[in-house]
Structures are given as C-alpha cells and as structure tokens.
Amino acid sequence: MTTSTEGSRLNPLHHRPGDPTYAARHRLPDAGMDPLTAFHSVRDETMLDGNARLNLATFVTTWMEEEASELYREAFDKNMIDKDEYPQTAAIEQRCQHIIADLWHAPDPDTAPATSTVGSSEACMLAGIALKRRWQQRRTDTGKDTSRPNLVMSSAVQVCWEKFCNYFEVEPRFVPVSEEHPVLDGSALDAVVDEHTIGVVGILGVTYTGAYEPIAEIAAALDAIERERGLDIPIHVDAASGGMIAPFLQPELEWDFRLARVASINTSGHKYGLVYPGLGWVVWRDAAALPESMVFRVSYLGGDTPTLALNFSRPGAQVLLQFFLFLRLGREGYTAVQGESQRVALHLSSAIGDMPAFALVSDGSTIPVFAWRLRPGHTKNWTLYDLSDRLRMRGWLVPAYPMPDDLAELTVQRIVVRNGLTIELADSLLDAIREETAYLDALTSPLPHPTAHPAFSH
C-alpha cells in the first residue's frame, strides 16, 4: 500500500467497481466503499502494529481462548448500563462483584458496594471521589473547613492518580521513592499527612518494578498517627495488577479488607484478571465507605437504573468474559495460570541477573513483573535504551525508562510476563538479549546517535 497527501492508495486486488482509488486518512470521504474493501484497507494498515504476544511492555491481556473470543463476538452489542434490556448481564456483573469482594475478604461480600468500570483508571477516580466526599462530610459535620484536601501517595503511582488530583481539585502529596525506601512503606507518612488528608494510596504492584507496597505497614503507621494525633485516615489500595495475583499466589499476605483501615480496592480485569482490554473493578469495604451521593438512579429505556461508574454507556462483553474465566478456571485454575506466569518471570529474571551487564532491581516474586539496570561501570558506550531498540528490531517490545523523582537518574528495563508467554518463548527472548548485549558490548566507542528517550510512559 502506498500513501499520498490525499490518502492511502488501495491495493488493486481489493479494489471493487465504484470504489475510490484512495482511502481518505484525515477527512471524511464524500462517498463510501464496499465493506470488504474497507475491511482490507484497515487490516492492511494494522499489520504495521507489533505482535501483541511479544509486547512485554503492557500489562493488558493479549490472548484469550477461542471460546472466550466467541462469547465476546456474541456480546459485542450489549450495553452494560442497559440493565432492563440485558438483565442477565447485569446479574452476572453482580456475581463478579461478589466473587471479587470475597477474594479480597470484604466483611460481607454480598453487600459490599462495587461496580465494573472501563478500566482501573476509572475505578481509581471513583475511589478517590469517595475518599474526598467522605472527608468533606466528616469535616462538615464537625463545622470544619472543607477546602484544601490532599491525597498522599508514592511518587511511583500510575499517572491516573495525578489525573484524579488534577480533575477533582485535590492536592497530590508525593512521597519520593529512594534507594533506601523504593516503595511507600509508612516511614514518611507522619510528615506528610494532616487534617486535610482524604486518604493514602497504597500500590499492590508498582508499575515500574512490580513491587508490592507493604499495605499492612502503611496501615500500622496510620494507626499510630491516629493514636498520637487523632487523624483517622483511610487507605485505598491500587491493586490494578496485584489484586488478581495476591489472592492466588500470596494468600497469606494481608493487604486487603482484612486490614480495617482499607476502605476501597481497585483492580484491572484486563490485566491479571485475564480479560481482553476494557474492564476494571472497584469494591468498597461496606456501604459506609461509599457516599450515597455518588449513586445515581435514572430512568433508562423503561427501567430504573442505579449507576455508579463515570461512564454511562459502556461494553458489557468484558464483564461476561470475566465471569467466563471465573467459571473456566476457579481458584485452582487462577492459581495455576498466575503461578506459571510467575515461574516464567523468575526464569527470565534469574537468567538476566546472571548476565555480567545487568543487576536486578526486582525479580518477579510479587506479580510476574521484574526490572533490571545496567551494572554500574559496565559500559559507557551504550544504555538500556539502545538495548530496547535492538530488541524492538527483532519484534520484542521491552521498555526502558527512568525511575521517578529521587531515583530519576536510574534507568531500568522491565518485562511483564502475561499468560501466553511460554518458557520456550522466554528462552528465545533470552537468546535475543544475550546476542544484542554482545553486539553492544563489542562497540569500541559510543553509538553515533544514541537512543536517549524513554520507550514507555507510565
């Protein structure tokens, strides 16, 4: 396919009588084309995308079984908000909510408020709004000022929390990560929380390294602050990745509603929930943790519909896929799938950690995600950005990026192991890393145009 300023020239084999010669690229064409021609035009362009199975940058599911794909196709048209038209889909959403609330040890899983969302970012927004409104109500009830709310979190949070603070006028208070404190661990909380703090965000699976922030230690630190200063500050756990790992691989770890200070938790169904993109979940401890003012009851298509999510119309298909997986795998199946991903992650991290050029930053023993750095003093001729580019030439997307704030001078490279990355594929990747590292180590001087840009954005 060739291109011009007016559009992309159509392949003559796909062109049909009456079709235009070009496919418009930036303006709506005056006339349409045969659906098969349009299909080939779009599919030909997307061939330039990378192989999703070799994308080790994303946490998002890139493969499901054929039965799931068939179920997906049959449910493309289901609108999650239309509970009157699709009551069984609505019932299945509630079943999923109860299952997840039970996994996270909610005091009463059948009554814990929850909702599906388009993804974890929307779930985080809802949880943040609930924290803010609960704080405002407590302040109003006692006649105190409700201006200047703040939210405390690690500098390694996902960007959705910066968006939340920006959109909903909350001051973000970032606790910088450092060599001594690579995650938020509660040690610095006393210095940053005050009576205007609406909550603390703990991360179960930091995107930079895969590490778990110790939620129990954060809760203990806040318990001490309440005893000493009278500040009752709740925790929201951003478990976008770890929320569907820890219940299966680290069931003894207390990070969820077993801790009384945890008010809400979110996860991504489309990450380690193993569902195709477009699904998140948020669960609150109980009705007291979710302000009633956040629940809207609207008349829609002949029915009374309570709605909580920020988005109104949204796909119902991914919710059905989540329930399919709960039925398909059960607790034993999820444990086996997540355990295999972790086995592959540990296999990869062990081999990379043994290479003279690299030192591990994390090893994949939490979620199946790990990161490494160049060993200090190994070379001045190349960086991890260069290795990332060399691997990209071979089809592998393995991002390199700087750590946040006080560790910003440290560049790391990271692999996310998802279901479908087999040991055999992992060994092929290791071969590629060894070969490209040997190529770079053979350089006698720095590359003439070194790669100096992050290959991934958080």
Side-chain angles (χ1 to χ4, degrees), residues 71-72 75-82 86 89-90 92-93 116 275 278-279 281 313-323:
L71 185 62
Y72 199 4
F76 282 151
D77 61 340
K78 292 185 185 294
N79 183 356
M80 195 64 249
I81 195 62
D82 191 356
Y86 307 115
T89 298
I92 288 173
E93 179 191 30
S116 64
V275 174
L279 182 64
W281 299 97
S313 295
R314 53 194 172 89
Q318 285 89 340
V319 170
L320 300 184
L321 292 182
Q322 186 76 85
F323 190 59

Side-chain angles (χ1 to χ4, degrees), residues 22 42 50 85 101 107 132 149 165 179 187 228 259 286-287 289 319 333 364 375 456:
Y22 288 88
V42 175
E85 183 69 20
K132 181 180 178 182
C165 291
E179 290 277 5
S187 61
E228 296 165 8
L259 302 171
D286 50 33
V319 170
R375 197 174 295 278
F456 184 74

